[in-house]
Amino acid sequence: MGGLIHVGGWHGIEYIGTERRLLVFEPQREAFARLKLNLGALPNVELVNVALGAEEGVGVMHTAHPSHSSSLLTPRQAPADGVTFEGTEAVSITTLDRAMQGREGYDELRIDTQGYELEVLRGARRTLER
């Protein structure tokens, strides 16, 4: 079994104690800090504090409570029960193709980006071919 790429890893709690090779992307500052606490000491894990999308740049993360509901998409409807949008956070964006340069041996991709999945896939054409 090869490595796992997780886009939108949030706190990474589902991987605590895993021995699988992981590459986890999380753009939010506070969520990334918690992710580092949870997984940063594991030798099989690489954590990257960046968002993934169709092209490189800076994006506006619409921050929510709870924070796993935050999204690069502008909210267009009332949030689900218990979710409130609280503000914004500027985040760096790169493509998965760019992020995977020099990285090999990953055979699974999980994307949890609150509606931004298609943009992630648009920036992953070469990676998906491999």
Side-chain angles (χ1 to χ4, degrees):
M1 177 181 287
L4 167 70
I5 302 165
H6 189 135
V7 182
W10 196 52
H11 295 168
I13 56 178
E14 64 268 42
Y15 302 118
I16 294 173
T18 188
E19 294 182 10
R20 186 155 187 203
R21 185 170 165 222
L22 301 173
L23 175 59
V24 184
F25 296 90
E26 173 53 52
Q28 297 180 84
R29 278 185 305 274
E30 289 182 23
F32 188 77
R34 184 59 164 264
L35 180 65
K36 280 176 56 175
L37 287 174
N38 289 338
L39 302 179
L42 297 176
N44 56 313
V45 176
E46 182 179 356
L47 307 175
V48 184
N49 187 205
V50 69
L52 298 181
E55 54 190 47
E56 296 185 328
V58 175
V60 176
M61 178 70 67
H62 299 275
T63 56
H65 177 79
S67 65
H68 62 75
S69 296
S70 300
S71 179
L72 283 166
L73 294 178
T74 302
R76 291 191 286 167
Q77 59 189 22
D81 289 339
V83 175
T84 56
F85 285 94
E86 300 178 329
T88 60
E89 176 182 340
V91 296
S92 295
I93 302 174
T94 193
T95 66
L96 185 59
D97 287 342
R98 168 82 61 166
M100 292 307 294
Q101 290 178 350
R103 294 182 170 110
E104 299 291 333
Y106 293 90
D107 63 1
E108 185 175 344
L109 173 63
R110 293 183 188 170
I111 307 173
D112 186 6
T113 55
Q114 306 305 319
Y116 206 69
E117 290 81 3
L118 182 57
E119 295 303 307
V120 173
L121 292 172
R122 285 183 173 142
R125 287 185 174 106
R126 289 188 312 262
T127 301
L128 293 174
E129 287 174 359
R130 292 185 291 146

